[in-house]
Amino acid sequence: MRAARLMAVDQENEMSAPTTTGATVWLTGLPSAGKTTIAYALAERLRGEGRRVEVLDGDEIREFLSSGLGFSREDRHTNVQRIGFVAELLASHGVTVLVPVIAPYGDSREAVRKRHQREGTPYLEVHVATPVEVCSERDVKGLYAKQAAGELSGLTGVDDPYEAPADPDLRIETHRNSVQESAAEVRLLLSERGLL
């Protein structure tokens, strides 16, 4: 009897729980473009609104999910596909997934988009279009300085290619906007697409 009542309560809760549409928002751009900063600012705002949000930070993924990979084109592609798989899985369960990852190659990003399309999961591509000169001034991780000193090679956008999206869902110029303004632009895009 008690089990039947508990099942009825569970079913009632499931029916009354608000349904939320998940989505993946992929923020691509050069190192130090502001991708991760925007993602965390937006995540904080969305959580404050009661949304389920996850940030798949590129550095954390490299450490915990792709630690054996290098930075060859093939390894970068594998890394992006792994992140795309996890993002789609979370988004398909109603989570807004923010993915601040360089993902320098257009075909890798397109493969992630197609995975989402096949599964019927919303996917938005945001190009954080900060000029390389501004990124090198910010140099959050000291990568540009190391590259200039000859201590590092294969830096995306300097001596390794970065294929900027030709037709992203949104292009943000962080050198013209504050972090909060940039986060608000992404939030507006989600709202306009019916994903909030």
Side-chain angles (χ1 to χ4, degrees):
M1 187 71 164
R2 184 171 183 273
R5 279 201 313 267
L6 288 174
M7 282 178 60
V9 169
D10 283 346
Q11 287 174 344
E12 187 178 313
N13 286 342
E14 281 179 21
M15 290 190 298
S16 64
T19 57
T20 57
T21 302
T24 294
V25 181
W26 198 288
L27 297 102
T28 177
L30 296 173
S32 297
K35 305 177 295 299
T36 303
T37 305
I38 293 167
Y40 279 110
L42 178 58
E44 183 179 355
R45 179 171 177 179
L46 293 177
R47 285 188 188 113
E49 296 170 5
R51 313 274 325 166
R52 294 171 62 205
V53 183
E54 289 295 337
V55 177
L56 298 183
D57 184 294
D59 291 336
E60 291 177 357
I61 295 290
R62 276 276 177 187
E63 182 179 353
F64 297 108
L65 192 63
S66 296
S67 61
L69 296 178
F71 291 90
S72 67
R73 183 174 184 130
E74 184 179 337
D75 281 359
R76 288 177 189 262
H77 179 77
T78 299
N79 183 50
V80 167
Q81 298 319 298
R82 288 178 182 178
I83 298 168
F85 172 80
V86 175
E88 193 282 322
L89 190 64
L90 288 168
S92 71
H93 287 87
V95 178
T96 301
V97 187
L98 307 177
V99 186
V101 174
I102 296 168
Y105 300 110
D107 59 347
S108 296
R109 296 190 305 266
E110 186 57 24
V112 172
R113 180 188 291 276
K114 285 181 177 171
R115 168 184 286 282
H116 282 70
Q117 287 172 341
R118 280 195 309 272
E119 300 299 328
T121 305
Y123 175 89
L124 301 171
E125 184 176 68
V126 176
H127 181 205
V128 183
T130 310
V132 68
E133 301 79 23
V134 176
C135 293
S136 64
E137 286 172 18
R138 292 177 181 169
D139 204 8
V140 177
K141 299 171 192 167
L143 299 176
Y144 293 92
K146 286 181 181 176
Q147 193 276 337
E151 299 169 15
L152 174 76
S153 63
L155 181 59
T156 302
V158 179
D159 58 353
D160 214 48
Y162 176 73
E163 299 170 0
D167 189 26
D169 295 283
L170 175 65
R171 195 178 311 277
I172 296 175
E173 297 184 337
T174 64
H175 54 298
R176 302 184 199 280
N177 297 338
S178 70
V179 171
Q180 292 305 324
E181 287 168 340
S182 296
E185 283 191 53
V186 183
R187 190 197 176 285
L188 179 60
L189 174 66
L190 283 161
S191 180
E192 288 172 345
R193 299 293 174 89
L195 300 171
L196 287 181

